[in-house]
Amino acid sequence: MSTPPTLPLRNPVLERPLKVTLSFTASCNLDCRHCYADCSRVPRAEEMPAADWMRLIDRLEEDGVIGLYIEGGEPLHRADFLDVLRHAAGRFHVQLRSNATLVTPEMARILHEDCRIATLLVDLHGPDAAVHDHATRAPGSFERTLGGIRAARAAGIETQMLVIMTRLNVDHLQGCVDLAARLGLETIGILRPYPIGRMRRAWDEASLPLEVMMRALDALRLPPGMRLMQSWHPRDGNCCWQTAAVDPRGHSIGCAYLREYVDLGDLREVAFLDTWNAPLHRLLRSGEVEASCGDCAASQGSHGGCRATAYAFHGRWTAPDPFDLPLNQGVDLRVLPEHALHPRPQSAPPSGS
Amino acid sequence: MRYILAPNLRLRPVPELDSCVVLAPGEGGGPRLLRLNAHAWLLLELCRAGMMATALREAYREAVVPPLDAAAAAESLDQGLALLLRQGLLLEKNPEEAMP
């Protein structure tokens, strides 16, 4: 259980970020009932065109960014994505998050040889078609995703599985671990659900009590050599300190999970580093929090846990993260407060904070 | 003998954390990201300057912080070089190869 933090309540300070999440598009070929990006089939007109993404990537390289975490929506669903990915090839450590349904053997070869991605992170919602296809609302998507994973591995791409834990799959997590092992994957990430996009609107059917999530994690049995990534206690990091994020419109938003709470400006109008140094972004990165879990601070080197779920449930940027058991303070994670049901992006911390 | 940086490295100094992140091509797989401590970073920068092994030894001893005596500096340097060679971040080059 938690011990008082011995570290000062400050996160490490980076003058410039090392990695940036690019939420390339809010379009997708699936129709997931809990989609964070609230995806449409066709990219919205407000999405940044490829040429602007390329200019931004050049800017990020100049500003010292060395890692890109690219997600969607489904990036491969947008016709101009490979142009952008090729533009970043060899200049960044690129991790691509995808549903993998469009990863054919030829696409896998392109991703590996031309785009030189480091890792493919594949979202799966369950260990079989019944659970997965119910979540994606796309019959056949489970088999196509497995085909994409196999193609990526055959092409030599380091491939990992990601599973967002919800009420729909909490009883199937061991099946996901076993499936990952059968596919030859060495890493599986079990991710917390975030109350954003369609997941927010379906929170009643998707959310779980914290105790249930913790029991589900504790019950997992990993085969030898498999690594589990999870962000609950004792590994609840405040990873804001080292990262930034850009939404499909080209707005700087701090973290992809803050997309409905933070808007630091349009990067076609303001400099990226100006948004990095904006008071709200500095506050999010600072580690100045109302409470910190000693175990998580020790394992993650940061304080207070995830700022997105902290803000979602408390409405304060400095609040403790209720997904961390010692910091939960009786918060029922199945009940979203009013401000989280109707979020409004903020550009600055409230005066006086 | 001298040491040179492997081709296609991207160095991203992180002085705030006394470290340097290096993007390196993978061997068959995707690119690798490595985080170097201050000693390994110093070595990489000295090798980037392109000095001969004897000059490198002297430069490392003068630059390393905290200061080390000659034997400790030599041992630290050898360990660092071995690590960077093993990671594929440095290449050994004979003087005649180094000539234009």
Side-chain angles (χ1 to χ4, degrees), chain A residues 178-350:
Chain A
D178 297 341
L179 174 61
R182 288 200 300 278
L183 291 166
L185 308 185
E186 295 176 348
T187 303
I188 183 169
I190 306 291
L191 311 180
R192 67 177 65 182
Y194 285 86
I196 51 179
R198 292 205 279 270
M199 179 73 89
R200 166 168 47 80
R201 297 199 289 278
W203 195 247
D204 285 349
E205 72 168 29
S207 60
L208 292 160
L210 181 56
E211 297 74 20
V212 171
M213 292 189 270
M214 298 304 295
R215 274 202 303 273
L217 288 170
D218 287 344
L220 291 179
R221 295 293 171 261
L222 299 179
M226 181 167 288
R227 183 171 72 106
L228 171 67
M229 295 187 297
Q230 63 95 354
S231 63
W232 286 265
H233 183 84
R235 294 189 177 81
D236 184 16
N238 174 353
C239 44
C240 283
W241 71 270
Q242 59 177 334
T243 193
V246 183
D247 76 9
R249 304 167 301 157
H251 286 228
S252 179
I253 54 172
C255 164
Y257 298 122
L258 290 168
R259 70 188 78 187
E260 296 185 355
Y261 312 133
V262 172
D263 186 348
L264 301 167
D266 185 339
L267 293 175
R268 287 172 290 188
E269 298 171 0
V270 294
F272 171 68
L273 287 182
D274 286 348
T275 69
W276 174 257
N277 288 313
L280 177 54
H281 207 174
R282 293 182 81 92
L283 176 63
L284 289 165
R285 299 201 311 272
S286 68
E288 293 174 14
V289 290
E290 297 159 23
S292 179
C293 165
D295 294 335
C296 293
S299 71
Q300 304 300 301
S302 58
H303 295 282
C306 174
R307 293 300 81 207
T309 43
Y311 186 79
F313 284 90
H314 291 289
R316 303 188 307 280
W317 303 115
T318 56
D321 177 10
F323 275 73
D324 184 358
L325 198 57
L327 301 181
N328 176 264
Q329 300 176 346
V331 172
D332 184 345
L333 295 178
R334 294 168 298 180
V335 181
L336 285 178
E338 183 64 22
H339 72 268
L341 289 169
H342 307 285
R344 285 181 298 124
Q346 311 287 310
S347 59

